[in-house]
């Protein structure tokens, strides 16, 4: 949970977990978003340990790249 709150509070550089936190918190609230981010971090760390892989940052624009039709247009 502490790692999830820390990931949510990153302000200098937007990361995948920060973006994920704000997307969930807008719908479900901050506490549930922190639980969701903690779960995502735990799942990511498990896969890294299981496969012996390294973490690759997906970027703050990950959701925009995966679902471009959901972007807001001005």
């Amino acid at each position: 949970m502490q790692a999830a709150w820390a990931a949510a509070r990153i302000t200098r550089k937007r990361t995948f977990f920060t973006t994920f936190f704000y997307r969930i918190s807008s719908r479900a609230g901050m506490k549930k978003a922190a639980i969701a981010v903690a779960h995502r971090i735990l799942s990511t760390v498990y896969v890294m340990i299981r496969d012996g892989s390294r973490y690759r940052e997906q970027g703050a624009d990950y959701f925009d790249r995966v679902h471009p039709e959901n972007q807001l247009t001005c």
Side-chain angles (χ1 to χ4, degrees), residues 4-71:
W5 282 114
R9 301 294 181 198
I10 295 174
T11 56
R12 291 180 313 233
K13 179 182 175 188
R14 300 294 275 183
T15 64
F16 169 77
F17 291 116
T18 306
T19 305
F20 184 65
F21 175 83
Y22 285 110
R23 285 174 62 94
I24 299 294
S25 68
S26 67
R27 293 189 308 264
M30 293 183 76
K31 290 182 181 181
K32 288 186 180 182
I35 295 289
V37 170
H39 182 264
R40 183 66 65 103
I41 290 172
L42 184 63
S43 299
T44 302
V45 170
Y46 172 75
V47 170
M48 288 170 48
I49 292 171
R50 181 190 67 192
D51 298 341
S53 60
R54 292 181 175 216
Y55 176 70
R56 186 186 60 186
E57 175 62 35
Q58 296 171 342
D61 63 342
Y62 172 77
F63 296 107
D64 295 335
R65 287 183 282 126
V66 173
H67 300 288
E69 67 277 2
N70 293 343
Q71 288 183 357

